[in-house]
Amino acid sequence: MHTNPFEGAMEQLTAASRILEARTRTKREKESLKRIIDILRYPERAVTVHIPVRMDNGETRIFEGYRVQHNNVRGPYKGGTRYHPSVTLDEVKALAFWMVMKLAVVNVRFGGGKGGIIVDPRTLSEHELEALTRGYARAIAPVIGPTVDIPGPDVNTNETIMYWMADEYRKLKSQISMSKKERETLPAVTTGKPLAHGGSEGRHTATAQGALYVFEKLTKKLGIKQGATVAIQGFGNAGYFMAKNLVSAGYRVVAVSDSRGAVYVHDGIDPEATMRCKTEKGTVAGCYCKGSVCDVRFGRTIDPQELLTLPVDVLIPAALEQAIMEKNADRIRAKVVFELANGPTTPEADEILRRKHVTVVPDILTNAGGVTVSYFEWKQNMDGAHWPESVVFEKLRSVMTAACDDVWNTAERYHTSIRMGAFIVALSRIVSAYTKTTD
Ligand code: GLU
């Protein structure tokens, strides 16, 4: 059993490489594939930093953070920054690896990286959060940059945090001489910034928007009908906007949870009212909201673990890794698991779900919309442009639907799962990038 997400990620890599190897004909190709898979087993660079922060009470606390750069053969490292008390280096390594795969699945010319700080941001004041973020930016400044590694948002990091990071980087770099173009493109060092500071239209809702395009593209193939029931684990940026999208598209979101509790509303929740209620209470527990009204008669509080095993059509894990593990996979009753979180299903659980004929739509396809719009933000910053939201979403739709076709067709051609189809698409693109660089 794996509790180390990086080991789980490497198991996925091994499984995909076996499928690819079986189809590789010449000895030379086999050797080249093996060499590249071996390279992909290690991050190219993993930086650990310690950030001293003067707290409001005058004491200094030292925080530990990471930036992992897994692979850049397809372009600059790219990936989010997680603020969470349970962040570990192995978790960030797994997340960085999945970024490499994800960006190759959507065919965006970026490599993959990830960052994180061990912190519960809810325990910090605004001033402490800013000092921590600026300290982190200074600590990783030697290894990031608009054409080197571009941090974005992830769990518990928002527009303001991404702006602080970019601003701190700009301040540091303003001391050295650079060309006009370099200076103008400095905001491209992070993505997920506020609109007023070089952010992109649509970035805030991009993960769920991209996921909706995938969902709509695959509903027929997966046998999901209008009015289908959905349970969503996690009511953060991805889970909340996905709930909103699905309810507007005519699906019934019957259960949602957050780190503190879960609710079941038989007729389907009203996402906006639930969010208002959650903001007031600090949790979705107790928020039985339908048709913009919250009333205790509409639903019941359930155990967050029970949410995962509800008899719904679609289960959407939208929180952290390892939600579906060996110990609960057998009790999953959904027909489809649509992974909006990164790494929510362990390889052991994946195998159990396969045997139970539960279809898993993998993270590296479904949640790639967030980083795709981050790429659009970076591109706009590099070109000094600003695209309207309609343009951003049109481009996003075309990227996501093309990725769906590539992944689905590959899974069929190789008689394998959608996850393995996605890995094969990604690995083929990475292998071809290596072949080009060594020729
Ligand atoms: N955190 C997002 C992800 O896991 C993307 C971060 C970014 O935009 O760089 O895909």
Side-chain angles (χ1 to χ4, degrees), residues 78-81 95 99 102 114 150-155 191 203 207 342 367-368 370-372 374:
K78 178 82 191 90
T81 318
L95 292 164
M99 289 311 299
K102 189 185 302 189
K114 200 86 178 196
I150 305 119
D154 194 71
V155 174
T191 61
R203 176 63 187 89
T207 306
N342 289 307
N367 73 24
V371 77
T372 300
S374 271

PDB file of all heavy atoms in Angstrom, residues 78-81 95 99 102 114 150-155 191 203 207 342 367-368 370-372 374, ligand 1:
ATOM      1  N   LYS A  78       6.508  24.579 -15.231  1.00  0.00           N
ATOM      2  CA  LYS A  78       5.275  25.306 -14.908  1.00  0.00           C
ATOM      3  C   LYS A  78       4.475  24.501 -13.912  1.00  0.00           C
ATOM      4  O   LYS A  78       4.344  23.286 -14.052  1.00  0.00           O
ATOM      5  CB  LYS A  78       4.429  25.480 -16.188  1.00  0.00           C
ATOM      6  CG  LYS A  78       3.094  26.178 -15.937  1.00  0.00           C
ATOM      7  CD  LYS A  78       3.268  27.681 -15.898  1.00  0.00           C
ATOM      8  CE  LYS A  78       2.052  28.438 -15.403  1.00  0.00           C
ATOM      9  NZ  LYS A  78       2.062  28.646 -13.928  1.00  0.00           N
ATOM     10  N   GLY A  79       3.937  25.176 -12.919  1.00  0.00           N
ATOM     11  CA  GLY A  79       3.065  24.472 -11.977  1.00  0.00           C
ATOM     12  C   GLY A  79       2.758  25.310 -10.757  1.00  0.00           C
ATOM     13  O   GLY A  79       3.421  26.317 -10.485  1.00  0.00           O
ATOM     14  N   GLY A  80       1.748  24.886 -10.038  1.00  0.00           N
ATOM     15  CA  GLY A  80       1.198  25.667  -8.940  1.00  0.00           C
ATOM     16  C   GLY A  80       2.027  25.686  -7.671  1.00  0.00           C
ATOM     17  O   GLY A  80       3.109  25.084  -7.587  1.00  0.00           O
ATOM     18  N   THR A  81       1.499  26.401  -6.696  1.00  0.00           N
ATOM     19  CA  THR A  81       2.135  26.568  -5.397  1.00  0.00           C
ATOM     20  C   THR A  81       1.091  26.247  -4.335  1.00  0.00           C
ATOM     21  O   THR A  81       0.040  26.882  -4.305  1.00  0.00           O
ATOM     22  CB  THR A  81       2.589  28.028  -5.208  1.00  0.00           C
ATOM     23  OG1 THR A  81       3.173  28.487  -6.436  1.00  0.00           O
ATOM     24  CG2 THR A  81       3.580  28.165  -4.069  1.00  0.00           C
ATOM     25  N   LEU A  95       3.289  15.994  -7.529  1.00  0.00           N
ATOM     26  CA  LEU A  95       2.506  17.025  -8.217  1.00  0.00           C
ATOM     27  C   LEU A  95       3.299  17.611  -9.393  1.00  0.00           C
ATOM     28  O   LEU A  95       2.729  17.900 -10.453  1.00  0.00           O
ATOM     29  CB  LEU A  95       2.102  18.120  -7.221  1.00  0.00           C
ATOM     30  CG  LEU A  95       1.097  17.676  -6.139  1.00  0.00           C
ATOM     31  CD1 LEU A  95       1.062  18.688  -4.988  1.00  0.00           C
ATOM     32  CD2 LEU A  95      -0.301  17.482  -6.722  1.00  0.00           C
ATOM     33  N   MET A  99       2.359  17.512 -13.408  1.00  0.00           N
ATOM     34  CA  MET A  99       2.322  18.716 -14.259  1.00  0.00           C
ATOM     35  C   MET A  99       2.992  18.442 -15.608  1.00  0.00           C
ATOM     36  O   MET A  99       2.517  18.894 -16.652  1.00  0.00           O
ATOM     37  CB  MET A  99       3.011  19.910 -13.578  1.00  0.00           C
ATOM     38  CG  MET A  99       2.299  20.521 -12.390  1.00  0.00           C
ATOM     39  SD  MET A  99       0.541  20.909 -12.586  1.00  0.00           S
ATOM     40  CE  MET A  99       0.564  22.094 -13.917  1.00  0.00           C
ATOM     41  N   LYS A 102       0.520  16.386 -17.553  1.00  0.00           N
ATOM     42  CA  LYS A 102      -0.680  17.170 -17.872  1.00  0.00           C
ATOM     43  C   LYS A 102      -0.426  18.139 -19.029  1.00  0.00           C
ATOM     44  O   LYS A 102      -1.204  18.240 -19.962  1.00  0.00           O
ATOM     45  CB  LYS A 102      -1.027  17.954 -16.598  1.00  0.00           C
ATOM     46  CG  LYS A 102      -2.327  18.680 -16.606  1.00  0.00           C
ATOM     47  CD  LYS A 102      -2.477  19.511 -15.327  1.00  0.00           C
ATOM     48  CE  LYS A 102      -2.386  18.677 -14.051  1.00  0.00           C
ATOM     49  NZ  LYS A 102      -2.756  19.469 -12.842  1.00  0.00           N
ATOM     50  N   LYS A 114       6.416  22.203  -9.464  1.00  0.00           N
ATOM     51  CA  LYS A 114       5.407  22.479  -8.432  1.00  0.00           C
ATOM     52  C   LYS A 114       6.101  23.042  -7.211  1.00  0.00           C
ATOM     53  O   LYS A 114       7.281  22.764  -6.974  1.00  0.00           O
ATOM     54  CB  LYS A 114       4.696  21.185  -8.036  1.00  0.00           C
ATOM     55  CG  LYS A 114       3.356  21.408  -7.351  1.00  0.00           C
ATOM     56  CD  LYS A 114       2.261  21.550  -8.382  1.00  0.00           C
ATOM     57  CE  LYS A 114       0.899  21.731  -7.794  1.00  0.00           C
ATOM     58  NZ  LYS A 114      -0.139  21.489  -8.818  1.00  0.00           N
ATOM     59  N   ILE A 150       7.703  28.987 -13.986  1.00  0.00           N
ATOM     60  CA  ILE A 150       6.619  29.954 -13.770  1.00  0.00           C
ATOM     61  C   ILE A 150       5.616  29.397 -12.754  1.00  0.00           C
ATOM     62  O   ILE A 150       4.735  28.616 -13.114  1.00  0.00           O
ATOM     63  CB  ILE A 150       5.906  30.256 -15.122  1.00  0.00           C
ATOM     64  CG1 ILE A 150       6.921  30.737 -16.159  1.00  0.00           C
ATOM     65  CG2 ILE A 150       4.790  31.284 -14.951  1.00  0.00           C
ATOM     66  CD1 ILE A 150       7.030  29.863 -17.370  1.00  0.00           C
ATOM     67  N   PRO A 151       5.746  29.783 -11.478  1.00  0.00           N
ATOM     68  CA  PRO A 151       4.785  29.305 -10.486  1.00  0.00           C
ATOM     69  C   PRO A 151       3.370  29.836 -10.760  1.00  0.00           C
ATOM     70  O   PRO A 151       3.195  30.956 -11.252  1.00  0.00           O
ATOM     71  CB  PRO A 151       5.311  29.870  -9.160  1.00  0.00           C
ATOM     72  CG  PRO A 151       6.760  30.160  -9.409  1.00  0.00           C
ATOM     73  CD  PRO A 151       6.836  30.549 -10.861  1.00  0.00           C
ATOM     74  N   GLY A 152       2.387  29.016 -10.443  1.00  0.00           N
ATOM     75  CA  GLY A 152       0.976  29.406 -10.541  1.00  0.00           C
ATOM     76  C   GLY A 152       0.301  29.101  -9.215  1.00  0.00           C
ATOM     77  O   GLY A 152       0.966  28.726  -8.251  1.00  0.00           O
ATOM     78  N   PRO A 153      -1.027  29.252  -9.176  1.00  0.00           N
ATOM     79  CA  PRO A 153      -1.753  28.956  -7.930  1.00  0.00           C
ATOM     80  C   PRO A 153      -2.074  27.469  -7.779  1.00  0.00           C
ATOM     81  O   PRO A 153      -2.040  26.717  -8.748  1.00  0.00           O
ATOM     82  CB  PRO A 153      -3.043  29.755  -8.093  1.00  0.00           C
ATOM     83  CG  PRO A 153      -3.265  29.829  -9.577  1.00  0.00           C
ATOM     84  CD  PRO A 153      -1.915  29.771 -10.228  1.00  0.00           C
ATOM     85  N   ASP A 154      -2.361  27.052  -6.581  1.00  0.00           N
ATOM     86  CA  ASP A 154      -2.830  25.695  -6.297  1.00  0.00           C
ATOM     87  C   ASP A 154      -3.679  25.784  -5.022  1.00  0.00           C
ATOM     88  O   ASP A 154      -4.168  26.873  -4.684  1.00  0.00           O
ATOM     89  CB  ASP A 154      -1.630  24.736  -6.158  1.00  0.00           C
ATOM     90  CG  ASP A 154      -2.040  23.273  -6.210  1.00  0.00           C
ATOM     91  OD1 ASP A 154      -2.412  22.787  -7.279  1.00  0.00           O
ATOM     92  OD2 ASP A 154      -2.016  22.601  -5.154  1.00  0.00           O
ATOM     93  N   VAL A 155      -3.791  24.700  -4.296  1.00  0.00           N
ATOM     94  CA  VAL A 155      -4.624  24.690  -3.094  1.00  0.00           C
ATOM     95  C   VAL A 155      -4.196  25.809  -2.129  1.00  0.00           C
ATOM     96  O   VAL A 155      -3.009  25.924  -1.784  1.00  0.00           O
ATOM     97  CB  VAL A 155      -4.524  23.310  -2.387  1.00  0.00           C
ATOM     98  CG1 VAL A 155      -5.265  23.328  -1.052  1.00  0.00           C
ATOM     99  CG2 VAL A 155      -5.049  22.217  -3.297  1.00  0.00           C
ATOM    100  N   THR A 191       1.643  33.104 -12.724  1.00  0.00           N
ATOM    101  CA  THR A 191       0.307  33.221 -13.335  1.00  0.00           C
ATOM    102  C   THR A 191      -0.744  33.087 -12.244  1.00  0.00           C
ATOM    103  O   THR A 191      -0.427  32.734 -11.108  1.00  0.00           O
ATOM    104  CB  THR A 191       0.075  32.127 -14.401  1.00  0.00           C
ATOM    105  OG1 THR A 191       0.166  30.856 -13.755  1.00  0.00           O
ATOM    106  CG2 THR A 191       1.063  32.231 -15.536  1.00  0.00           C
ATOM    107  N   ARG A 203      -9.088  33.038 -15.772  1.00  0.00           N
ATOM    108  CA  ARG A 203      -8.184  32.133 -15.056  1.00  0.00           C
ATOM    109  C   ARG A 203      -8.816  31.608 -13.769  1.00  0.00           C
ATOM    110  O   ARG A 203      -8.617  30.456 -13.387  1.00  0.00           O
ATOM    111  CB  ARG A 203      -6.839  32.834 -14.731  1.00  0.00           C
ATOM    112  CG  ARG A 203      -5.860  31.974 -13.883  1.00  0.00           C
ATOM    113  CD  ARG A 203      -5.442  30.717 -14.617  1.00  0.00           C
ATOM    114  NE  ARG A 203      -4.642  29.771 -13.826  1.00  0.00           N
ATOM    115  CZ  ARG A 203      -5.139  28.794 -13.080  1.00  0.00           C
ATOM    116  NH1 ARG A 203      -6.457  28.643 -12.974  1.00  0.00           N
ATOM    117  NH2 ARG A 203      -4.342  27.961 -12.440  1.00  0.00           N
ATOM    118  N   THR A 207     -10.107  26.001 -14.246  1.00  0.00           N
ATOM    119  CA  THR A 207     -10.002  24.559 -14.000  1.00  0.00           C
ATOM    120  C   THR A 207     -11.365  23.902 -14.208  1.00  0.00           C
ATOM    121  O   THR A 207     -11.494  22.893 -14.915  1.00  0.00           O
ATOM    122  CB  THR A 207      -9.475  24.284 -12.576  1.00  0.00           C
ATOM    123  OG1 THR A 207      -8.253  25.008 -12.414  1.00  0.00           O
ATOM    124  CG2 THR A 207      -9.213  22.810 -12.350  1.00  0.00           C
ATOM    125  N   ASN A 342      -5.666  16.606  -8.044  1.00  0.00           N
ATOM    126  CA  ASN A 342      -4.495  15.905  -8.565  1.00  0.00           C
ATOM    127  C   ASN A 342      -4.270  14.648  -7.742  1.00  0.00           C
ATOM    128  O   ASN A 342      -4.222  14.703  -6.505  1.00  0.00           O
ATOM    129  CB  ASN A 342      -3.254  16.802  -8.459  1.00  0.00           C
ATOM    130  CG  ASN A 342      -3.293  17.948  -9.455  1.00  0.00           C
ATOM    131  OD1 ASN A 342      -3.474  17.726 -10.660  1.00  0.00           O
ATOM    132  ND2 ASN A 342      -3.148  19.166  -8.961  1.00  0.00           N
ATOM    133  N   ASN A 367      -8.335  18.144 -15.195  1.00  0.00           N
ATOM    134  CA  ASN A 367      -8.066  19.412 -14.509  1.00  0.00           C
ATOM    135  C   ASN A 367      -7.006  20.268 -15.219  1.00  0.00           C
ATOM    136  O   ASN A 367      -6.519  21.248 -14.656  1.00  0.00           O
ATOM    137  CB  ASN A 367      -7.736  19.183 -13.025  1.00  0.00           C
ATOM    138  CG  ASN A 367      -6.363  18.585 -12.782  1.00  0.00           C
ATOM    139  OD1 ASN A 367      -5.457  18.721 -13.604  1.00  0.00           O
ATOM    140  ND2 ASN A 367      -6.185  17.945 -11.642  1.00  0.00           N
ATOM    141  N   ALA A 368      -6.701  19.922 -16.463  1.00  0.00           N
ATOM    142  CA  ALA A 368      -5.642  20.645 -17.181  1.00  0.00           C
ATOM    143  C   ALA A 368      -6.073  22.046 -17.640  1.00  0.00           C
ATOM    144  O   ALA A 368      -5.242  22.832 -18.114  1.00  0.00           O
ATOM    145  CB  ALA A 368      -5.173  19.827 -18.380  1.00  0.00           C
ATOM    146  N   GLY A 370      -6.932  24.619 -15.892  1.00  0.00           N
ATOM    147  CA  GLY A 370      -6.337  25.672 -15.062  1.00  0.00           C
ATOM    148  C   GLY A 370      -4.981  26.084 -15.601  1.00  0.00           C
ATOM    149  O   GLY A 370      -4.723  27.270 -15.878  1.00  0.00           O
ATOM    150  N   VAL A 371      -4.134  25.106 -15.802  1.00  0.00           N
ATOM    151  CA  VAL A 371      -2.782  25.447 -16.259  1.00  0.00           C
ATOM    152  C   VAL A 371      -2.790  25.881 -17.725  1.00  0.00           C
ATOM    153  O   VAL A 371      -1.929  26.651 -18.153  1.00  0.00           O
ATOM    154  CB  VAL A 371      -1.785  24.297 -15.978  1.00  0.00           C
ATOM    155  CG1 VAL A 371      -1.914  23.162 -16.971  1.00  0.00           C
ATOM    156  CG2 VAL A 371      -0.364  24.849 -15.958  1.00  0.00           C
ATOM    157  N   THR A 372      -3.771  25.435 -18.481  1.00  0.00           N
ATOM    158  CA  THR A 372      -3.857  25.882 -19.877  1.00  0.00           C
ATOM    159  C   THR A 372      -4.128  27.391 -19.921  1.00  0.00           C
ATOM    160  O   THR A 372      -3.488  28.126 -20.675  1.00  0.00           O
ATOM    161  CB  THR A 372      -4.950  25.092 -20.637  1.00  0.00           C
ATOM    162  OG1 THR A 372      -4.599  23.707 -20.603  1.00  0.00           O
ATOM    163  CG2 THR A 372      -5.076  25.552 -22.072  1.00  0.00           C
ATOM    164  N   SER A 374      -3.384  29.372 -17.498  1.00  0.00           N
ATOM    165  CA  SER A 374      -2.137  29.967 -17.009  1.00  0.00           C
ATOM    166  C   SER A 374      -1.165  30.183 -18.172  1.00  0.00           C
ATOM    167  O   SER A 374      -0.466  31.203 -18.241  1.00  0.00           O
ATOM    168  CB  SER A 374      -1.472  29.057 -15.972  1.00  0.00           C
ATOM    169  OG  SER A 374      -1.945  29.352 -14.690  1.00  0.00           O
TER     170      SER A 374
HETATM  171  N1  GLU B   1      -2.459  24.117  -9.715  1.00  0.00           N
HETATM  172  C1  GLU B   1      -2.842  23.873 -11.072  1.00  0.00           C
HETATM  173  C2  GLU B   1      -2.697  22.406 -11.429  1.00  0.00           C
HETATM  174  O1  GLU B   1      -2.524  21.570 -10.584  1.00  0.00           O
HETATM  175  C3  GLU B   1      -2.143  24.698 -12.126  1.00  0.00           C
HETATM  176  C4  GLU B   1      -1.156  25.682 -11.676  1.00  0.00           C
HETATM  177  C5  GLU B   1      -0.700  26.672 -12.729  1.00  0.00           C
HETATM  178  O2  GLU B   1      -1.545  27.324 -13.292  1.00  0.00           O
HETATM  179  O3  GLU B   1       0.496  26.747 -12.938  1.00  0.00           O
HETATM  180  O4  GLU B   1      -2.800  22.051 -12.566  1.00  0.00           O
END
